[in-house]
Amino acid sequence: MIPATATIGKTDVTATALGLGTNAVGGYNLFPDLDDQAGIDLVQAALNNGINLLDTAYVYGLGHSEELVGQAMKGFDRSKIVLATKGAHDFSTGTEVINNDPEFLTAQVEASLNRLGTDYLDIYYIHFPDKITPKAEAVGALQKLREAGKIKAIGLSNFSLEQIKEANADGYVDVVEDEFSLLHQDNAKEMMPYLKAHHMSFVPYFPLASGLLTGKYDKNVTFADDDIRSQIADFQEPRFSHALAAVDQIRPIAKAHDATITQIILAWYMQNPLISVVIPGAKHADQVVANAKSMAIRLSHTDYQTIDDAFNWFKTTESGKSLADPE
């Protein structure tokens, strides 16, 4: 079966509906005990199993993820890879600052191209909005890079709907990346329909909600104080119990498709008309291979609606973000 694909915004960039998030590829500042070769292996597993979109960012390992992704792509046909990265984090003063200044973004793109070992990016996202730079001015800098052939599609990440509208004043924005999952549906109320209506793609991050949507947890699970999951509201009551109950309703559908709960959840995202590409992360190549199998699953209308209905509680409960945005 040929995987479903999505055209990014108004561009000619075509991605598989399932991509790969690479924050655990070289993201040593985000995860402990990462292995560089394991990161390279899982990127190559994605490319070898029909996934063509790779999503990275400067802040994943402060450039190290980009370096590893670049190494992993060697030997593959670059023209068949959809390469996305993100920038906005400025450490030049010794502390983390979000910076959307046009000169800074231009320099960031050039640095990313160098680390990735490529002469163009299929998608470049402004990773977070700053509090100073006019949004359309920041996007205008990326448009100049697009005209120079350095970028094919312009993206925004972690922008509010009002900020998206401001940034897209000249119609240059093609794609928005933000949090959305069956446990975090705030963006489905206004942002995602707006993007669809204005021919902008939507790419959700944290689609598996830190593993809570994989079916691997039960009510007895506990986390150490230094485990980030102990700080996330999804793992606290009442959200945790509602999530477990909803996931339990997916088990019969997974069994009927001879699939895992993770694969069924990913298939649901790929059939959601408001979503263009879903980008689950992974730490090991076997996880990527398993996720790739979800591209062959076609849910019936009844299955799709059953999954949708199972998470109704999360539609009517404001979820907020799993992790706070940087200042």
Side-chain angles (χ1 to χ4, degrees), residues 182-240:
L182 285 160
L183 302 187
H184 289 260
Q185 301 199 37
D186 296 354
N187 283 329
K189 297 178 178 71
E190 294 185 23
M191 179 191 290
M192 292 162 66
Y194 176 87
L195 298 178
K196 183 79 171 179
H198 290 80
H199 308 291
M200 287 182 268
S201 298
F202 180 73
V203 177
Y205 64 72
F206 294 165
L208 298 175
S210 300
L212 191 46
L213 291 174
T214 65
K216 66 182 180 181
Y217 296 119
D218 62 33
K219 63 181 180 181
N220 298 314
V221 70
T222 58
F223 302 106
D225 290 343
D226 62 351
D227 188 315
I228 195 168
R229 287 169 293 188
S230 68
Q231 314 297 323
I232 294 176
D234 291 341
F235 291 91
Q236 300 168 18
E237 296 300 344
R239 295 181 62 82
F240 187 57

Side-chain angles (χ1 to χ4, degrees), residues 24-141:
V25 177
Y28 62 81
N29 55 335
L30 305 175
F31 298 96
D33 305 321
L34 294 180
D35 179 81
D36 282 0
Q37 188 58 51
I40 291 171
D41 290 346
L42 73 87
V43 171
Q44 293 180 338
L47 297 174
N48 283 324
N49 284 273
I51 295 170
N52 80 343
L53 186 142
L54 306 175
D55 181 281
T56 185
Y58 162 69
V59 79
Y60 304 163
L62 307 186
H64 193 47
S65 178
E66 292 179 323
E67 291 169 348
L68 293 182
V69 170
Q71 290 179 44
M73 293 192 309
K74 291 177 181 177
F76 290 87
D77 184 346
R78 172 67 183 90
S79 68
K80 294 181 179 178
I81 298 172
V82 177
L83 185 57
T85 192
K86 303 179 282 290
H89 293 75
D90 184 353
F91 292 91
S92 62
T93 62
T95 58
E96 179 185 41
V97 176
I98 299 301
N99 188 348
N100 295 171
D101 178 80
E103 287 189 13
F104 176 78
L105 290 177
T106 300
Q108 282 288 97
V109 168
E110 293 293 345
S112 289
L113 289 169
N114 184 59
R115 287 188 291 265
L116 286 158
T118 186
D119 57 3
Y120 72 96
L121 298 167
D122 296 276
I123 305 171
Y124 191 82
Y125 294 95
I126 301 175
H127 204 162
F128 288 91
D130 71 14
K131 297 179 179 178
I132 301 171
T133 311
K135 306 294 180 286
E137 188 175 309
V139 169

